[in-house]
Amino acid sequence: MAFNLVAGEAFAPQMTMPGVIVTVAAVIAANLALTYWLSRYALRPLLARLVARYGYAVPRVTRENALTVTLLAGEGVIIPALPLWRGGLLALGTAASLVLAALQLRRAPPSTARRGAAFAAFAVATAGAVLPWVTMFYLW
């Protein structure tokens, strides 16, 4: 959503806002498809061979055997610094998103009010992505 706002501001005069939204959605879908293909078909066999060299196997996760960190903790597998790592990665991702927003808004029209409103929209979109993770990691 936040990327749509910046792309819309930058490309709407040439492509119209609906064109920008469709293009951004298509690019994000292509990115997800490419990432899935790379991880499933290109890199998994390499990882499987590397892990097999050391006598292990890459687990095959299905609905029947899917485990989460919470279930692992219930089984006695403790990851001591997990809350710290989760919080640090979440804070790093949030800060990176907001820095990216600020850098993109440098190129926006010079109106301070418009830049402020756009940055607020970025912050709301970022919060929408971060708050479910905070809820799951720390409150649930």
Side-chain angles (χ1 to χ4, degrees), residues 42-58:
L43 298 177
R44 184 180 172 93
L46 297 173
L47 178 66
R49 282 196 301 264
L50 177 69
V51 170
R53 183 183 306 169
Y54 294 102
Y56 297 100
V58 176

Side-chain angles (χ1 to χ4, degrees), residues 90-101:
L90 199 56
L92 182 66
T94 303
S97 295
L98 293 176
V99 166
L100 177 63

Side-chain angles (χ1 to χ4, degrees), residues 41-107:
Y41 298 106
L43 298 177
R44 184 180 172 93
L46 297 173
L47 178 66
R49 282 196 301 264
L50 177 69
V51 170
R53 183 183 306 169
Y54 294 102
Y56 297 100
V58 176
R60 184 140 184 102
V61 179
T62 63
R63 287 185 178 170
E64 291 78 30
N65 71 355
L67 293 176
T68 64
V69 172
T70 304
L71 291 174
L72 288 173
E75 294 292 327
V77 177
I78 304 299
I79 304 171
L82 184 63
L84 178 65
W85 281 100
R86 283 177 168 171
L89 288 173
L90 199 56
L92 182 66
T94 303
S97 295
L98 293 176
V99 166
L100 177 63
L103 292 173
Q104 291 294 321
L105 289 174
R106 280 183 170 174
R107 295 187 285 180

